[in-house]
Amino acid sequence: MPNQIAFLALAASPIFVAVMLSRLSVERAFIWSMMLCYLFLPEPPAVFDFPMMPPLDKHNIPALMVFAILLGRREPSGPLLPDSVLGKTLVLTFVFSPIMTVINNGEPVFFGLVGLPALGLKDAAALVLEQFLQVLPFLLARQHLATGGAQKELLRALMIGGLVYTPLMLIETRLSPQLNNWVYGYFQHYFAQTIRFGGYRPIVFLYHGIWVAFFLMTSVVSAYALWRWHKGEGRLKLLGVALYLTLILVLAKSLGSLIFMVLLVPLVVLLAPRTQVRIAVLIGAIALAYPLLKGADLVPQEQMLEQAAKIDPDRAGSLRFRFHNEDRLLERAYIKPVFGWGSWGRNHILDPYSGAILTVTDGFWIISIGTYGWIGFLAQFGTLLLPLALIWRAMGSHRSDAISPFVGPLSLILAINVIDMIPNATLTPLTWLMAGALTGYAENLRQASHGHATHTAGVRRRTVM
């Protein structure tokens, strides 16, 4: 169980966010508040659990505090929802579809002698609020991180955050993952999963070693992007930082993140931003297609397992375990395919005598479909992937030198994050932050192109007259 330090750290986080907003610009304070709280605050079960509310933890307290402070200041920031009709529809569906989930789950669920409660009004209120808190970083980032300078600041924060984390990662690589236990009094996952290739992979203060490695991968990609587009002194130093972070990522012993790094770094270093965005759109389409193909039983699982076995038999066994659980959970999800099973673990299969959960939800997509149905899944993944389509569309009406070069790397990182949500549940506040920043930037590009088109049409009309 978490100790008092864990709860004191959570309680102090709103004060930290308020101080950041009082001393820095809104965009910088928002980015760094989200980043540092995500990296250093304790993971659940360190939460504040109030009646009629979702648990408040490090994933939602910082954004909620930023929202409350900016609302109190009454600073002009434009509408909270996206400009496009599709964007508004996706966000509102994501937030409010749990109401229909609750309506469709008004009966208890029984597994032999074990029963789970029916959902009621308080569940509807809590789930809607939980969805709103989850998407809040996206909405705030769309408002306040919509410029090219904000894109660069976000990449810079990812790089520096990785640099700050690497000493802690090296300590755990050498001594075993113990920092969370030493500071907050508990281990946040299963210790056996930190053992890899005869050593340890670090977990620090995040949920799992996969999360740490994925975050460091984004730091590596960000460093190479900043190195490529840096002008003036310090460019060689940025390359040294990128190489150092690459080395630490190798030591983190996470095959998936290493594959992502090998894929993304050449794209970031060699290709133009427009091409990077096109590839990001393609990766995003693959991420969205997998659950649809899986649902139609069109995923070539055996061929994928054969290829995985050639790389690492242990990873092939892990993949087989994931596929088996996905199949069982999808079969259950199809009982309530539209709006899902809701909360209380109703989307799982339980032991009829002990009540123990017999299924494992690794990928976030199966969690989303099982909990909120295909409607909830499409709303959530659609909200995350929409900015890639918006950026791709908006870039077509602008010259290359009028577009921030940092949009391409951010788009690639976001797309890879979404595709990593197929095998893992690596949806974090930073994911929403990137999606919101790209959405805001795409909307600014679209408004600029419309303004230019209106101005040009006006000039032509005056010329004719």
Side-chain angles (χ1 to χ4, degrees):
M1 290 295 292
N3 59 22
Q4 291 183 347
I5 296 175
F7 291 104
L8 284 173
L10 277 181
S13 61
I15 301 173
F16 169 74
V17 173
V19 171
M20 294 285 281
L21 284 169
S22 69
R23 296 179 177 243
L24 301 175
S25 65
V26 171
E27 70 176 36
R28 182 166 291 182
F30 181 38
I31 290 172
W32 282 101
S33 295
M34 298 294 294
M35 173 82 65
L36 294 176
C37 287
Y38 172 67
L39 291 179
F40 290 100
L41 288 180
E43 288 280 348
V47 302
F48 293 121
D49 200 355
F50 300 109
M52 298 288 293
M53 289 187 65
L56 296 178
D57 56 28
K58 76 174 191 178
H59 298 281
N60 51 37
I61 290 176
L64 181 60
M65 190 63 186
V66 171
F67 178 65
I69 291 175
L70 296 181
L71 193 65
R73 289 181 182 179
R74 298 183 180 178
E75 293 185 4
S77 53
L80 191 63
L81 292 175
D83 288 344
S84 67
V85 174
L86 178 58
K88 288 186 177 72
T89 301
L90 288 171
V91 171
L92 292 175
T93 301
F94 174 70
V95 173
F96 291 106
S97 66
I99 295 176
M100 293 303 300
T101 299
V102 170
I103 291 173
N104 283 275
N105 285 275
E107 74 291 339
V109 175
F110 290 95
F111 297 87
L113 302 176
V114 178
L116 294 175
L119 302 185
L121 182 60
K122 66 177 183 179
D123 296 295
L127 290 174
V128 168
L129 183 55
E130 182 178 26
Q131 296 289 84
F132 172 72
L133 292 177
Q134 188 179 151
V135 81
L136 188 56
F138 169 90
L139 301 174
L140 293 174
R142 178 197 152 270
Q143 287 182 319
H144 301 287
L145 306 181
T147 65
Q151 316 292 312
K152 182 178 180 180
E153 183 66 29
L154 186 49
L155 288 173
R156 181 172 172 270
L158 288 170
M159 179 187 72
I160 295 175
L163 282 173
V164 171
Y165 235 44
T166 53
L168 305 178
M169 294 174 64
L170 289 172
I171 290 172
E172 292 201 335
T173 302
R174 180 67 181 86
L175 301 179
S176 84
Q178 295 294 337
L179 286 170
N180 202 84
N181 195 34
W182 290 342
V183 177
Y184 294 128
Y186 69 103
F187 192 77
Q188 61 270 49
H189 209 270
Y190 299 107
F191 187 83
Q193 293 192 11
T194 68
I195 301 173
R196 283 290 183 273
F197 306 114
Y200 300 103
R201 60 179 179 184
I203 186 170
V204 196
F205 301 113
L206 300 186
Y207 174 69
H208 192 282
I210 291 174
W211 275 243
V212 175
F214 188 89
F215 171 75
L216 192 63
M217 183 275 299
T218 67
S219 302
V220 172
V221 175
S222 299
Y224 280 107
L226 292 167
W227 166 71
R228 177 186 177 182
W229 297 104
H230 184 79
K231 297 178 181 179
E233 297 182 1
R235 194 163 187 266
L236 186 60
K237 185 183 295 185
L238 282 172
L239 179 59
V241 168
L243 293 173
Y244 166 73
L245 291 172
T246 302
L247 174 62
I248 303 301
L249 181 57
V250 173
L251 296 177
K253 303 179 181 71
S254 180
L255 181 61
S257 292
L258 285 173
I259 292 173
F260 292 152
M261 180 195 70
V262 171
L263 171 65
L264 291 190
V265 168
L267 300 181
V268 165
V269 171
L270 300 176
L271 300 183
R274 289 180 186 272
T275 307
Q276 292 170 2
V277 171
R278 293 190 189 103
I279 294 174
V281 171
L282 176 61
I283 294 172
I286 294 172
L288 190 60
Y290 176 84
L292 300 176
L293 294 174
K294 181 76 173 182
D297 199 22
L298 296 176
V299 174
Q301 294 185 174
E302 291 304 320
Q303 291 86 338
M304 294 171 68
L305 290 169
E306 290 176 6
Q307 294 301 317
K310 294 177 182 178
I311 301 174
D312 184 353
D314 289 339
R315 297 306 93 215
S318 176
L319 184 60
R320 183 178 297 277
F321 178 79
R322 291 170 188 264
F323 283 157
H324 174 68
N325 278 275
E326 285 177 358
D327 292 339
R328 297 182 70 190
L329 288 163
L330 263 181
E331 184 178 347
R332 177 154 181 79
Y334 281 144
I335 300 174
K336 291 180 179 285
V338 181
F339 294 106
W341 286 95
S343 53
W344 300 102
R346 294 162 57 97
N347 58 310
H348 281 280
I349 299 172
L350 274 60
D351 184 278
Y353 299 103
S354 67
I357 295 177
L358 301 177
T359 46
V360 177
T361 49
D362 284 314
F364 197 87
W365 70 275
I366 193 63
I367 297 174
S368 182
I369 292 173
T371 306
Y372 298 113
W374 285 96
I375 295 295
F377 161 77
L378 291 173
Q380 185 166 42
F381 276 62
T383 301
L384 291 169
L385 293 173
L386 177 64
L388 301 179
L390 294 177
I391 287 282
W392 181 36
R393 181 179 179 184
M395 290 177 75
S397 56
H398 290 268
R399 301 191 318 272
S400 296
D401 58 359
I403 299 169
S404 170
F406 304 109
V407 169
L410 271 179
S411 296
L412 286 170
I413 292 173
L414 175 62
I416 283 293
N417 196 164
V418 176
I419 208 167
D420 191 52
M421 289 161 57
I422 300 303
N424 301 307
T426 46
L427 177 65
T428 73
L430 302 184
T431 313
W432 290 109
L433 206 66
M434 290 185 286
L438 289 171
T439 299
Y441 188 80
E443 291 175 352
N444 281 353
L445 283 180
R446 184 171 179 271
Q447 291 170 4
S449 63
H450 282 189
H452 176 73
T454 302
H455 174 73
T456 303
V459 170
R460 287 175 178 170
R461 284 196 297 270
R462 288 195 295 272
T463 303
V464 171
M465 293 173 65

